[in-house]
Amino acid sequence: MSYLAKRKFYYSILLISVIVLLLLGIFSLFVGTANIGFLDVCRILASKLPGIQKLVSTDNIRGSSADIIIKLRLPRAVLVILVGSGLAAVGAAMQSVFRNPMAEPGILGLSSGAGLGATIAIVIGLDKTVLGLSAAAASAFIGAIATVFIVYNISRTGHRISPTVLILAGTAISFMNSAVIQLIMIFRRDRMDYIIMWTMGSFSSPSWNKIAVLLPFLLPGLAVILFHARDLNIISTGEETAKTLGVEVERTKKFVLASCSIVTAACVATSGIIGFVGLIIPHLLRLLVGTDQRVLLPFSIVGGAAFLLVCDTLARVAAPPAEIPVGAITAVFGSPFFIALLIKGKRSVM
Amino acid sequence: MRRKIGLFTIAAFITVLVIAFNACASNVPAEESKQGKPDDTSAATSHAPENGEDAGQPAGNSNYPIAVTDSKGRTIRLENEPERIISIGPDITEIIFALGKGDKLVGRSAFCDYPPEALEITAVGDFYEWNLEMIVSLEPDLIFVSAMNTEENEKKLMDLGINIIFINKTESFGGVYETIGLIGKVLNSETRSEEIISRMKNDVEKAKKAVDGLDRPSVYYVVGFGEYGDYTATGETFIAKMLDMAGGANIAADITGWSYSLEKLMEKDPDIIIGSEDAVKYFREASGYKELSAVKEGRIYAIDPDLLEIQGPRLSDGLLELVKILHPGSLQ
């Protein structure tokens, strides 16, 4: 059946998914290591809603409970949703640009570049905050963008970029960045723990500030990627075919990759390196909704957000007081599920 | 047809997630209520005294409000004696207990395991990750931090209006005395802190006297070993200073940066090797290490590394231990 005929159907499914995501988000506000009753959470939330705030009394609720809900759990849920949606959408777009199933947000050396940027800031001992973000985060963003810039220029011949060279250059630079990080850690053993801590992605220190910094990169980035969804469909059938069909392949690639890089860099800078979401979620959804980018991208945005939200909530509550690194949860829960889908998909193809 | 299966799978996926999520969630409050109960009662009571505290405090006993300067050079003003303290750092936890204020601790780091009573206090995270939610829910009026931490956690807690006092690692006994004095001042137990400091000073003097004029055996202190790389207390470190004070000639005194190598260790072939139980065990078995003459001739000694690495009241005990190892019999 054609896309147009199915469009309405997909929209309604997507709408349901968004509602489920919102419910998950609200649900995540109710669970956590601090023991805050269901009604208290409702009252704290209601007291912040304009209109009904006068009707709700929060008198006998501990002040710390309101802080926990409004200043910790709520920004965390929002941040997780944003990062999850960004990483998954970028993964889906990159897999289609590169026509490579192993493509993921970090493939152009972004993650390692961010890691190196953060490492340098940590070792120098930069103590300033930039736009409410730590120096390490700002430096990570710069590192990520600088790395992509180098990779891009290595791979460029005239106005053309070869996806293969891009991936290889990205991988090579990644290895080099990681090696430099390791060297720095050996020479600055006193700072090693900070560096390791940074590279293990985590949402344990959420803030509205981070969200405010992330949004201006994330939203336009996602918009550009979504706008090119149809062209990406054609490119993924082969660049030559796409050209004969009138797609400005190089321009599309450039725009999409630039947006992907900015979105990823912003995500990594605010929450560290979180693997798996950008690689597996697009594949998972491809098995469920098909390869059409016009469908896949919106579903990736919602699916990535929902998946990461579930994982992060588990990371928060599974082993109090410790927080399990969210990357470990995403892999432990996501991999078996994905493998099951792969096996099922293989059968139905055969 | 495949599409339909796909959509069914989505629906199933979502259902499974929701169910799994609910299952987890329903476990959590059950688990929490076990831990949470004592907190709840204390929290319920904490509100009332908080209001009545000013009135309740006998006027004569009140040194507050006070202002102190922490290791980051920040000035912290305390209106009242802190009643709900969180300590993130084993050295601080030890000092607070030594000051007899352990009952004021409502939270600690997972690494604070001395004295054993500390283990009964709620852990709010390790060095790497703080559980901010738990910290806030304990409603502390003061947090001491000596462990590493991220600026983000710091900033977040300050934004939440919680007082934080940072204590950096120090490089001398003088620094440790300062820390103990500072915490004593903050916790309204200055007499006790002075007692601790003078006891430590006595021990340090005793150690210095005992080794005065004695030959200095060459010594290697094991920080890291084996496949993780060889690390030792190089010249600039506090442990190196203590080795020196205890009358040893640290073979790594001329270098900096903690890093060492087995080759160099074999070349220098120290008279005495000191390390943790694990290190001693490893040195006795691993090839290369077991060829060292100190290992072959039984001059490798185990020490509790906490005595040297945790910069608290036990540090002078650590120094005396070193003297006992390096110059047996000299302390009598």
Side-chain angles (χ1 to χ4, degrees):
Chain A
M1 222 186 290
S2 77
Y3 168 71
L4 283 178
K6 278 253 179 184
R7 189 157 67 180
K8 217 172 157 191
F9 178 62
Y10 282 125
Y11 278 167
S12 49
I13 296 289
L14 191 64
L15 188 70
I16 296 172
S17 314
V18 171
I19 293 170
V20 171
L21 172 64
L22 286 178
L23 289 178
L24 284 175
I26 293 169
F27 178 74
S28 80
L29 301 179
F30 286 89
V31 295
T33 38
N35 198 6
I36 304 175
F38 180 84
L39 282 175
D40 284 357
V41 178
C42 294
R43 267 149 69 199
I44 290 165
L45 289 175
S47 71
K48 297 291 169 190
L49 288 176
I52 53 169
Q53 66 197 76
K54 288 203 187 80
L55 303 176
V56 197
S57 128
T58 52
D59 291 344
N60 45 8
I61 298 177
R62 298 162 66 192
S64 67
S65 299
D67 277 349
I68 288 172
I69 303 295
I70 303 297
K71 293 184 181 165
L72 292 175
R73 288 188 193 168
L74 190 56
R76 182 164 181 157
V78 174
L79 191 64
V80 170
I81 286 175
L82 293 178
V83 170
S85 63
L87 290 178
V90 166
M94 284 202 164
Q95 283 160 13
S96 127
V97 170
F98 290 118
R99 275 171 289 136
N100 183 329
M102 290 308 291
E104 45 106 16
I107 197 156
L108 296 180
L110 272 158
S111 306
S112 65
L116 182 59
T119 302
I120 290 171
I122 290 169
V123 168
I124 298 174
L126 285 177
D127 225 4
K128 297 272 176 302
T129 46
V130 186
L131 292 170
L133 284 183
S134 66
S139 171
F141 185 83
I142 297 167
I145 296 296
T147 304
V148 173
F149 189 74
I150 294 169
V151 168
Y152 178 81
N153 277 300
I154 292 172
S155 333
R156 196 169 54 113
T157 27
H159 285 295
R160 294 204 51 198
I161 33 168
S162 145
T164 317
V165 180
L166 208 51
I167 287 188
L168 289 177
T171 312
I173 297 272
S174 279
F175 275 113
M176 203 176 78
N177 284 341
S178 311
V180 174
I181 294 176
Q182 281 173 7
L183 283 177
I184 291 176
M185 287 205 292
I186 292 296
F187 287 113
R188 291 299 303 272
R189 191 169 190 267
D190 53 326
R191 290 272 161 177
M192 192 155 91
D193 293 336
Y194 290 86
I195 297 167
I196 293 173
M197 188 167 71
W198 194 92
T199 40
M200 287 196 310
S202 146
F203 296 101
S204 66
S205 173
S207 72
W208 291 109
N209 239 328
K210 282 186 181 174
I211 294 167
V213 174
L214 179 58
L215 274 178
F217 295 106
L218 185 76
L219 291 184
L222 288 182
V224 172
I225 296 171
L226 282 172
F227 180 78
H228 286 96
R230 205 182 61 91
D231 291 350
L232 284 177
N233 275 341
I234 305 174
I235 289 178
S236 54
T237 62
E239 288 189 12
E240 293 310 317
T241 328
K243 257 174 227 162
T244 57
L245 287 170
V247 176
E248 287 184 73
V249 175
E250 295 307 323
R251 204 175 135 267
T252 306
K253 272 197 314 199
K254 219 180 287 178
F255 270 106
V256 171
L257 287 182
S259 310
C260 285
S261 305
I262 287 169
V263 170
T264 311
C267 289
V268 175
T270 45
S271 357
I273 299 165
I274 291 163
F276 195 88
V277 179
L279 177 65
I280 300 295
I281 291 295
H283 282 305
L284 205 153
L285 289 166
R286 209 171 276 126
L287 291 167
L288 296 175
V289 302
T291 53
D292 190 333
Q293 293 288 329
R294 289 169 296 184
V295 182
L296 181 61
L297 282 173
F299 271 103
S300 293
I301 290 174
V302 182
F307 178 72
L308 199 56
L309 187 62
V310 172
C311 290
D312 182 62
T313 308
L314 283 173
R316 282 197 296 134
V317 301
E323 265 190 25
I324 300 170
V326 64
I329 302 260
T330 52
V332 164
F333 282 86
S335 302
F337 189 72
F338 180 63
I339 289 167
L341 273 181
L342 268 185
I343 293 170
K344 205 172 144 257
K346 201 173 66 183
R347 280 211 197 102
S348 67
V349 171
M350 281 191 302
Chain B
M1 187 56 206
R2 274 188 61 200
R3 278 278 149 81
K4 262 200 185 133
I5 293 174
L7 289 167
F8 271 121
T9 329
I10 296 189
F13 173 57
I14 290 166
T15 327
V16 168
L17 282 185
V18 171
I19 292 171
F21 214 164
N22 274 317
C24 293
S26 59
N27 281 340
V28 172
E31 218 175 291
E32 256 177 9
S33 58
K34 267 186 275 159
Q35 297 184 317
K37 270 228 171 91
D39 280 343
D40 273 358
T41 47
S42 62
T45 48
S46 87
H47 250 288
E50 229 165 51
N51 298 332
E53 206 160 346
D54 286 342
Q57 191 111 22
N61 180 25
S62 183
N63 305 321
Y64 298 86
I66 55 167
V68 291
T69 310
D70 74 354
S71 297
K72 291 204 171 181
R74 299 157 50 253
T75 305
I76 296 103
R77 221 180 114 83
L78 296 165
E79 299 298 334
N80 293 304
E81 183 177 338
E83 294 294 333
R84 300 180 61 81
I85 305 165
I86 292 180
S87 155
I88 301 181
D91 41 357
I92 299 185
T93 304
E94 278 191 34
I95 292 171
I96 292 178
F97 270 98
L99 291 170
K101 296 282 184 177
D103 55 326
K104 301 276 171 74
L105 275 176
V106 294
R108 60 164 177 116
S109 82
F111 293 93
C112 301
D113 55 2
Y114 187 91
E117 297 94 287
L119 292 172
E120 286 158 24
I121 297 165
T122 316
V124 296
D126 52 26
F127 286 166
Y128 312 99
E129 291 276 359
W130 299 356
N131 192 324
L132 290 181
E133 183 167 322
M134 207 164 217
I135 291 175
V136 175
S137 72
L138 289 170
E139 299 195 326
D141 42 25
L142 181 61
I143 304 181
F144 281 109
V145 178
S146 75
M148 50 174 281
N149 58 83
T150 58
E151 296 151 39
E152 288 176 350
N153 280 342
E154 240 169 84
K155 207 176 155 298
K156 186 84 209 176
L157 287 174
M158 286 179 193
D159 288 348
L160 287 163
I162 300 174
N163 274 322
I164 309 181
I165 293 182
F166 291 98
I167 310 270
N168 281 354
K169 284 254 176 206
T170 167
E171 299 301 330
S172 68
F173 271 98
V176 180
Y177 301 152
E178 253 173 57
T179 303
I180 295 174
L182 172 77
I183 298 178
K185 185 176 176 196
V186 169
L187 300 188
N188 196 16
S189 50
E190 277 176 278
T191 5
R192 187 81 192 92
S193 68
E194 274 153 27
E195 281 166 30
I196 296 170
I197 295 169
S198 64
R199 177 189 59 79
M200 290 178 74
K201 280 183 176 161
N202 267 340
D203 285 350
V204 172
E205 280 311 309
K206 204 158 89 183
K208 273 188 189 157
K209 236 177 246 164
V211 303
D212 192 34
L214 295 179
D215 275 345
R216 296 178 155 255
S218 61
V219 57
Y220 178 78
Y221 179 79
V222 191
V223 174
F225 54 89
E227 54 191 304
Y228 303 108
D230 286 290
Y231 292 96
T232 188
T234 46
E236 83 284 13
T237 62
F238 193 3
I239 299 175
K241 272 183 199 152
M242 289 174 67
L243 289 170
D244 185 56
M245 290 165 84
N250 183 6
I251 61 168
D254 54 339
I255 54 170
T256 59
W258 297 94
S259 212
Y260 215 68
S261 72
L262 177 57
E263 257 184 44
K264 219 149 174 214
L265 182 55
M266 293 178 89
E267 186 194 50
K268 297 245 181 169
D269 203 19
D271 298 328
I272 292 177
I273 295 172
I274 303 174
S276 65
E277 298 272 0
D278 288 345
V280 169
K281 204 168 148 234
Y282 184 86
F283 269 55
R284 286 195 180 128
E285 283 159 11
S287 63
Y289 294 97
K290 64 181 174 193
E291 316 305 330
L292 294 161
S293 22
V295 181
K296 272 196 286 195
E297 292 160 24
R299 277 178 282 106
I300 175 164
Y301 301 94
I303 192 169
D304 178 0
D306 286 354
L307 292 180
L308 304 178
E309 288 167 18
I310 296 181
Q311 301 183 339
R314 287 190 292 163
L315 209 55
S316 53
D317 301 341
L319 182 64
L320 292 176
E321 285 292 314
L322 285 180
V323 173
K324 279 182 205 157
I325 291 170
L326 292 168
H327 299 284
S330 68
L331 274 174
Q332 275 102 42

Short mmCIF file of all heavy atoms in Angstrom, two decimals, chain A residues 13 16-17 20 288-289 299 337, chain B residues 3-19:
data_model
loop_
_atom_site.label_atom_id
_atom_site.label_comp_id
_atom_site.label_asym_id
_atom_site.label_seq_id
_atom_site.Cartn_x
_atom_site.Cartn_y
_atom_site.Cartn_z
N ILE A 13 -1.28 6.01 14.86
CA ILE A 13 -0.39 5.20 15.71
C ILE A 13 0.64 6.10 16.39
O ILE A 13 0.93 5.96 17.58
CB ILE A 13 0.35 4.13 14.87
CG1 ILE A 13 -0.64 3.15 14.29
CG2 ILE A 13 1.37 3.39 15.72
CD1 ILE A 13 -1.26 2.23 15.29
N ILE A 16 -0.85 7.86 19.27
CA ILE A 16 -0.96 6.98 20.43
C ILE A 16 0.40 6.84 21.11
O ILE A 16 0.52 6.93 22.34
CB ILE A 16 -1.49 5.59 20.01
CG1 ILE A 16 -2.92 5.74 19.47
CG2 ILE A 16 -1.45 4.60 21.16
CD1 ILE A 16 -3.47 4.49 18.86
N SER A 17 1.46 6.69 20.29
CA SER A 17 2.80 6.54 20.87
C SER A 17 3.18 7.77 21.67
O SER A 17 3.78 7.66 22.75
CB SER A 17 3.84 6.33 19.77
OG SER A 17 3.40 5.39 18.86
N VAL A 20 1.45 7.64 24.91
CA VAL A 20 2.12 6.66 25.79
C VAL A 20 3.39 7.26 26.36
O VAL A 20 3.69 7.13 27.55
CB VAL A 20 2.42 5.35 25.03
CG1 VAL A 20 3.31 4.44 25.86
CG2 VAL A 20 1.13 4.65 24.67
N LEU A 288 9.70 -2.77 12.76
CA LEU A 288 8.29 -2.64 13.12
C LEU A 288 7.50 -1.82 12.11
O LEU A 288 6.38 -2.18 11.76
CB LEU A 288 8.16 -2.00 14.51
CG LEU A 288 8.73 -2.81 15.68
CD1 LEU A 288 8.65 -2.00 16.96
CD2 LEU A 288 7.97 -4.12 15.84
N VAL A 289 8.06 -0.70 11.65
CA VAL A 289 7.26 0.20 10.81
C VAL A 289 7.78 0.32 9.39
O VAL A 289 7.22 1.07 8.59
CB VAL A 289 7.15 1.62 11.42
CG1 VAL A 289 6.54 1.55 12.80
CG2 VAL A 289 8.49 2.31 11.45
N PHE A 299 8.79 8.04 14.27
CA PHE A 299 8.70 6.95 15.24
C PHE A 299 10.00 6.80 16.03
O PHE A 299 9.98 6.46 17.21
CB PHE A 299 8.35 5.63 14.54
CG PHE A 299 6.87 5.41 14.43
CD1 PHE A 299 6.22 5.61 13.24
CD2 PHE A 299 6.14 5.02 15.54
CE1 PHE A 299 4.85 5.43 13.13
CE2 PHE A 299 4.77 4.83 15.45
CZ PHE A 299 4.12 5.05 14.24
N PHE A 337 15.83 -7.99 23.29
CA PHE A 337 14.61 -7.65 22.57
C PHE A 337 14.91 -7.49 21.08
O PHE A 337 14.19 -7.99 20.22
CB PHE A 337 14.05 -6.35 23.15
CG PHE A 337 12.70 -6.01 22.63
CD1 PHE A 337 11.59 -6.73 23.03
CD2 PHE A 337 12.53 -4.98 21.74
CE1 PHE A 337 10.34 -6.42 22.54
CE2 PHE A 337 11.29 -4.66 21.25
CZ PHE A 337 10.19 -5.39 21.65
N ARG B 3 3.17 -5.71 7.84
CA ARG B 3 2.95 -4.44 8.53
C ARG B 3 2.09 -4.64 9.76
O ARG B 3 2.35 -4.11 10.83
CB ARG B 3 2.24 -3.46 7.59
CG ARG B 3 3.16 -2.76 6.64
CD ARG B 3 3.82 -1.58 7.32
NE ARG B 3 5.15 -1.33 6.79
CZ ARG B 3 5.39 -0.67 5.66
NH1 ARG B 3 4.40 -0.19 4.95
NH2 ARG B 3 6.61 -0.49 5.24
N LYS B 4 1.05 -5.48 9.55
CA LYS B 4 0.12 -5.68 10.66
C LYS B 4 0.80 -6.34 11.82
O LYS B 4 0.64 -5.94 12.97
CB LYS B 4 -1.07 -6.54 10.19
CG LYS B 4 -2.25 -5.66 9.83
CD LYS B 4 -3.55 -6.39 9.83
CE LYS B 4 -4.62 -5.46 9.35
NZ LYS B 4 -5.48 -6.06 8.35
N ILE B 5 1.62 -7.36 11.47
CA ILE B 5 2.37 -8.04 12.53
C ILE B 5 3.23 -7.01 13.27
O ILE B 5 3.29 -6.95 14.48
CB ILE B 5 3.27 -9.15 11.95
CG1 ILE B 5 2.37 -10.26 11.40
CG2 ILE B 5 4.19 -9.72 13.02
CD1 ILE B 5 3.10 -11.34 10.66
N GLY B 6 3.84 -6.13 12.44
CA GLY B 6 4.69 -5.10 13.02
C GLY B 6 3.92 -4.26 14.02
O GLY B 6 4.40 -4.00 15.12
N LEU B 7 2.71 -3.88 13.64
CA LEU B 7 1.96 -3.01 14.54
C LEU B 7 1.53 -3.73 15.80
O LEU B 7 1.56 -3.17 16.89
CB LEU B 7 0.73 -2.46 13.80
CG LEU B 7 1.18 -1.46 12.76
CD1 LEU B 7 0.05 -1.15 11.80
CD2 LEU B 7 1.67 -0.19 13.44
N PHE B 8 1.20 -5.00 15.60
CA PHE B 8 0.89 -5.80 16.79
C PHE B 8 2.09 -5.82 17.73
O PHE B 8 1.96 -5.70 18.94
CB PHE B 8 0.53 -7.24 16.40
CG PHE B 8 -0.95 -7.38 16.14
CD1 PHE B 8 -1.42 -7.82 14.92
CD2 PHE B 8 -1.85 -7.05 17.14
CE1 PHE B 8 -2.76 -7.94 14.69
CE2 PHE B 8 -3.20 -7.18 16.91
CZ PHE B 8 -3.67 -7.62 15.67
N THR B 9 3.27 -5.94 17.10
CA THR B 9 4.47 -6.00 17.93
C THR B 9 4.67 -4.70 18.69
O THR B 9 5.05 -4.70 19.85
CB THR B 9 5.71 -6.29 17.07
OG1 THR B 9 5.31 -7.08 15.99
CG2 THR B 9 6.76 -6.99 17.88
N ILE B 10 4.39 -3.58 18.01
CA ILE B 10 4.51 -2.29 18.70
C ILE B 10 3.61 -2.29 19.92
O ILE B 10 4.03 -1.97 21.03
CB ILE B 10 4.06 -1.10 17.82
CG1 ILE B 10 4.96 -0.97 16.64
CG2 ILE B 10 4.07 0.18 18.65
CD1 ILE B 10 4.70 0.30 15.85
N ALA B 11 2.35 -2.69 19.67
CA ALA B 11 1.39 -2.70 20.76
C ALA B 11 1.89 -3.60 21.87
O ALA B 11 1.89 -3.22 23.06
CB ALA B 11 0.04 -3.17 20.27
N ALA B 12 2.39 -4.77 21.48
CA ALA B 12 2.90 -5.71 22.48
C ALA B 12 4.08 -5.09 23.22
O ALA B 12 4.16 -5.15 24.46
CB ALA B 12 3.33 -7.01 21.81
N PHE B 13 4.97 -4.45 22.45
CA PHE B 13 6.16 -3.82 23.01
C PHE B 13 5.76 -2.81 24.09
O PHE B 13 6.24 -2.85 25.22
CB PHE B 13 6.89 -3.13 21.86
CG PHE B 13 8.06 -2.28 22.26
CD1 PHE B 13 9.11 -2.81 22.98
CD2 PHE B 13 8.12 -0.95 21.86
CE1 PHE B 13 10.19 -2.03 23.32
CE2 PHE B 13 9.20 -0.17 22.21
CZ PHE B 13 10.23 -0.71 22.94
N ILE B 14 4.81 -1.97 23.70
CA ILE B 14 4.38 -0.93 24.63
C ILE B 14 3.74 -1.55 25.87
O ILE B 14 4.06 -1.18 27.01
CB ILE B 14 3.39 0.04 23.94
CG1 ILE B 14 4.17 0.85 22.90
CG2 ILE B 14 2.73 0.96 24.94
CD1 ILE B 14 3.30 1.58 21.92
N THR B 15 2.89 -2.56 25.63
CA THR B 15 2.24 -3.21 26.77
C THR B 15 3.28 -3.80 27.71
O THR B 15 3.22 -3.61 28.93
CB THR B 15 1.31 -4.34 26.29
OG1 THR B 15 0.78 -3.97 25.04
CG2 THR B 15 0.21 -4.60 27.28
N VAL B 16 4.25 -4.52 27.10
CA VAL B 16 5.28 -5.15 27.92
C VAL B 16 6.01 -4.10 28.74
O VAL B 16 6.23 -4.24 29.94
CB VAL B 16 6.28 -5.93 27.04
CG1 VAL B 16 7.50 -6.33 27.85
CG2 VAL B 16 5.61 -7.16 26.46
N LEU B 17 6.36 -3.00 28.08
CA LEU B 17 7.09 -1.94 28.77
C LEU B 17 6.29 -1.43 29.95
O LEU B 17 6.79 -1.29 31.07
CB LEU B 17 7.37 -0.77 27.83
CG LEU B 17 8.52 -0.99 26.86
CD1 LEU B 17 8.77 0.29 26.08
CD2 LEU B 17 9.78 -1.38 27.62
N VAL B 18 5.00 -1.17 29.67
CA VAL B 18 4.16 -0.60 30.73
C VAL B 18 4.06 -1.57 31.89
O VAL B 18 4.24 -1.20 33.06
CB VAL B 18 2.76 -0.26 30.18
CG1 VAL B 18 1.84 0.11 31.32
CG2 VAL B 18 2.86 0.89 29.19
N ILE B 19 3.85 -2.86 31.54
CA ILE B 19 3.72 -3.86 32.61
C ILE B 19 5.03 -3.96 33.40
O ILE B 19 5.05 -3.90 34.63
CB ILE B 19 3.35 -5.23 32.03
CG1 ILE B 19 1.94 -5.17 31.46
CG2 ILE B 19 3.43 -6.31 33.10
CD1 ILE B 19 1.53 -6.38 30.68
#
